[in-house]
Amino acid sequence: KFAEYEEIGIAEYWIVDYAALGGKRFIGSPKQPTISVYTLIEGEYQITQFRGSDRIQSLSFPELSLTAEQIFQVVL
């Protein structure tokens, strides 16, 4: 889907891996709950990852003031 989303111009999408089920190449090692924000910049996705007390940054939601942990608490 990554390439398809780039092709049709989806400006931003998020993957919320609250259970740390993603592969190490996607969420790092040691595996931990991670929010990955993919932002389309000049036709290619740039990924930013957030964990724990990291404050989420989003071009689509610039007023958002939540940490990754706050989002995980709602999901669980």
Side-chain angles (χ1 to χ4, degrees):
K1 294 201 178 208
F2 188 86
E4 293 173 20
Y5 288 176
E6 280 182 341
E7 187 176 316
I8 61 175
I10 303 293
E12 182 176 280
Y13 74 95
W14 297 25
I15 296 176
V16 179
D17 187 354
Y18 63 90
L21 297 174
K24 290 180 183 177
R25 82 175 215 194
F26 297 109
I27 63 171
S29 181
K31 291 169 58 167
Q32 57 186 312
T34 302
I35 297 173
S36 301
V37 177
Y38 292 80
T39 306
L40 194 61
I41 298 175
E42 296 182 13
E44 293 185 13
Y45 281 117
Q46 304 297 316
I47 182 174
T48 308
Q49 294 185 314
F50 304 93
R51 298 172 184 91
S53 64
D54 295 342
R55 189 154 306 279
I56 305 297
Q57 297 173 7
S58 165
L59 293 178
S60 296
F61 304 101
E63 301 295 322
L64 186 69
S65 182
L66 293 172
T67 65
E69 187 58 40
Q70 289 173 308
I71 292 173
F72 297 141
Q73 288 174 1
V74 172
V75 173
L76 298 175

